[in-house]
Amino acid sequence: MQSRSSGNMKGIDVSHWDGEINYNTVKDQGIKVVYIKATQGETSVDTYFKSNAVKAKEAGLLVGFYHFLNPSTEESAKKQAAHFVETIKPYHCDCRLALDMEVNKGLSASTITNLSKIFLEEVKRLSGLDVVIYSYTSFIKENLQKSLNVYPLWVAHYGVNTPGSNGVWDSWVGFQYSEKGHVRGIGTECDLNEFTQGILLPIKKEPVKQPTITPVPAHKPQSDKQNHVTYTVKKGDTLDKIATKYNTTITNLVKLNNIKNPNLIFVGQVIKIK
């Protein structure tokens, strides 16, 4: 596992336990990323979720959301995923959607691993966004299996500069290194994190809209208000050819267009034809 680095982004994660937060003050201290608890279980929404989501974005922070999974059945994992995605849908998200997996409710490691997979894949399917799994080093060792390492890890391990080996992942995109941080703008001790660029969702670029151009054939006659059509002279044209093409006479063309010399027309000249 890699160690902390000054090149990483500073971050925090918050929930109702942190109360009202002054995000402008938080940002002024170099914090760039804030993960916000959104939901837990099949129906619960964090009481400060909406306020945190709006105020953190208004302050210009990179925002992510997480769901605390209550593990039970596969059906419940899918319902919890749907609840999470539906809750966060109205709010802008910059970071991978996170699964907070830290309780086993007496279930086996294979069951916890399977429920985590089901939740993550359902979130991806419903939201179209990338995901990340959050857990503690000690919990991972006891409850999660290697098949989960296809998803990036946000790991919690306190009091160390480098997270310990967990047997599943060998790198991280997020590292929660303290739960007793002090950040101005937050009235309680809070979780401190470092994040790599891998925690961010890819920026979607809007396709450039090309102007719609309706081509007009270069020599197609067009009607005017006087019941005339017009023809643009091209190379090799003569009045005789034009008159023959439109079933008229050279004399009519000369009169209608005030042509002084019927033997002298030029490319690009617009000829009226009755």
Side-chain angles (χ1 to χ4, degrees), residues 150-169:
V150 295
Y151 309 102
L153 173 67
W154 172 15
V155 65
H157 196 152
Y158 304 142
V160 297
N161 194 54
T162 306
S165 174
N166 57 62
V168 178
W169 287 271

Side-chain angles (χ1 to χ4, degrees), residues 61-80:
L61 290 162
L62 296 170
V63 173
F65 303 120
Y66 73 89
H67 171 88
F68 189 101
L69 187 74
N70 291 336
S72 56
T73 65
E74 293 184 2
E75 181 183 3
S76 177
K78 290 183 178 181
K79 287 182 178 179
Q80 291 185 58

Side-chain angles (χ1 to χ4, degrees), residues 189-207:
E189 292 180 332
C190 67
D191 297 332
L192 299 180
N193 300 266
E194 284 190 8
F195 294 101
T196 71
Q197 292 293 319
I199 200 68
L200 301 178
L201 294 170
I203 298 174
K204 293 183 179 180
K205 295 182 178 180
E206 293 294 330

